[in-house]
Amino acid sequence: MGNLNCYAVVVPGLEAIAADELNALAAHEVKADAGGVSFTATMDGLFRINLRSRICTRILIRLASFRAMSFPELYNKSKKVAWEQYIGANTSVSVRVSCSHSKLMHSGRAELALSDAIGDRLGFEAKDAANEQQILLRIDNNQCTISLDSSGERLDRRGYRIHSGKAPVRETIAAAILQWMEWQPDEPLLSPMCGSATFAIEAAWMAQKRASGLEHVFPFTHWPLLKEKRWQRALDKARAMHAEQSARIFASELDAGILKQAQENAAQAGVADMITFQRLDARKMTVSDNDSAPGLIVCNPPYGDRVKSDVKSLYASLGDVFKQQFMGWRMAVMVPDPLCEKALGLKVRGRLKIKHGGKWVHVLRFREC
């Protein structure tokens, strides 16, 4: 099999960072657009990207693209896809459809046409099967695009977050911010108001070079075309990258209960010994005596609509602490609106706009010279 036409679904705003990551993972023809990144890859590349991407939400394979003006035409053209390569007798099919600006605007009928085409091509319909394969059909301006989900559950669900807290940051967002800030494992990292400890855990995994998808269950492991030896080789390579490393990662919380949950998440991730946890008011942070070199502060403070608190006062205090205590350090702060940004009272050195919790927020980059 040659190169596959692929599409990485990402959190809106992270497209450029995800494109850089895909290039680093040896994807080809990488091109970012709104909401994702298109690229091509070999089957081995598909394995590698699913296993090692820290930023992508899921990886799709574009199986077919064609125009259809009627449901019979959709059925006939969908039936030409080589479904037998991807769906075995022990796999059930789940179809998701989106329609816009097209003659075929009834998503239920489109789903039925595609499902019938798959079943008739295969000659069987697996029900109550042990495995599930998700198929996505998008109809836009009468152009039909059929995609196969190679990731299964979202890739940001790493498996370590047994406690989510009130306003968790997605693992993919935390990893993307760390990459955007160009954090290196040899510099200290402070994560005040750490919540579920996502920033700290993602940093620890980055320091360890631990592939984020090692425990993930991928639907492609059940594809009839799968070459088991090639998949095992990709898995072995990803595991071999993992190395025990030390890093200066500090996470703090004022609430003792939340801090305990963060510690349990870190233990679940296998990095409890890499992170120093402390019960601390973020407004009282100081540089550790052991940190002669500056590092990075990264945090997602409470928003007024998520966690009840004196938000503007908190952001102002954070700005004061950074100016007074952290000369030479860098800081990334997630802010929900211009009022919180203004309250920080710091000169913005960079800005990243992302979708978080259903809302657009800004991640601001600062450096105290």
Side-chain angles (χ1 to χ4, degrees), residues 111-130:
E111 177 184 340
L112 182 61
L114 178 54
S115 297
D116 286 348
I118 296 170
D120 291 348
R121 168 86 185 203
L122 294 174
F124 63 82
E125 184 178 354
K127 294 182 178 179
D128 300 322

Side-chain angles (χ1 to χ4, degrees), residues 62-305:
R62 301 298 202 199
L63 291 183
S65 182
F66 52 80
R67 288 180 64 80
M69 307 298 288
S70 69
F71 292 109
E73 184 179 12
L74 170 62
Y75 167 88
N76 289 327
K77 290 183 175 179
S78 299
K79 192 176 177 182
K80 295 179 181 179
V81 176
W83 295 109
E84 63 277 4
Q85 295 184 347
Y86 306 100
I87 301 169
N90 200 32
T91 299
S92 62
V93 173
S94 171
V95 176
R96 289 177 53 192
V97 179
S98 65
C99 310
S100 62
H101 311 294
S102 301
K103 290 194 68 176
L104 308 184
M105 287 298 293
H106 194 296
S107 60
R109 290 186 65 188
E111 177 184 340
L112 182 61
L114 178 54
S115 297
D116 286 348
I118 296 170
D120 291 348
R121 168 86 185 203
L122 294 174
F124 63 82
E125 184 178 354
K127 294 182 178 179
D128 300 322
N131 312 306
E132 181 178 275
Q133 177 61 63
Q134 182 169 256
I135 310 293
L136 293 89
L137 169 61
R138 180 181 178 184
I139 308 175
D140 187 22
N141 289 314
N142 301 311
Q143 187 71 22
C144 303
T145 303
I146 299 176
S147 300
L148 187 78
D149 177 18
S150 74
S151 302
E153 190 172 23
R154 288 193 336 231
L155 296 177
D156 60 272
R157 293 175 177 170
R158 318 278 206 230
Y160 61 71
R161 185 185 282 175
I162 52 180
H163 302 290
S164 291
K166 293 181 179 180
V169 176
R170 274 197 191 185
E171 293 86 336
T172 45
I173 292 177
I177 291 173
L178 290 168
Q179 292 197 28
W180 182 62
M181 292 299 295
E182 299 180 336
W183 178 74
Q184 298 298 320
D186 61 354
E187 64 177 330
L189 176 76
L190 272 62
S191 178
M193 297 171 286
C194 68
S196 55
T198 309
F199 281 115
I201 293 171
E202 289 296 315
W205 276 16
M206 289 170 67
Q208 290 182 332
K209 294 183 171 59
R210 186 193 193 281
S212 56
L214 287 178
E215 305 302 323
H216 203 84
V217 177
F218 297 104
F220 57 69
T221 59
H222 303 290
W223 292 351
L225 63 71
L226 179 77
K227 303 295 184 184
E228 184 63 36
K229 287 184 178 179
R230 295 177 70 173
W231 161 238
Q232 192 60 48
R233 182 172 60 196
L235 189 58
D236 290 343
K237 284 184 178 179
R239 287 172 174 160
M241 293 176 61
H242 188 180
E244 295 301 324
Q245 296 287 342
S246 61
R248 291 169 293 165
I249 302 173
F250 304 88
S252 62
E253 257 294 346
L254 182 58
D255 186 292
I258 295 176
L259 185 65
K260 183 175 184 294
Q261 291 180 351
Q263 291 172 309
E264 290 173 354
N265 285 345
Q268 179 71 13
V271 294
D273 59 341
M274 291 184 65
I275 303 169
T276 301
F277 287 95
Q278 183 179 11
R279 187 179 180 189
L280 178 69
D281 188 328
R283 293 166 290 193
K284 298 179 181 178
M285 288 189 301
T286 59
V287 177
S288 168
D289 294 337
N290 297 324
D291 293 323
S292 56
L296 172 66
I297 302 171
V298 59
C299 62
N300 177 33
Y303 306 165
D305 58 348

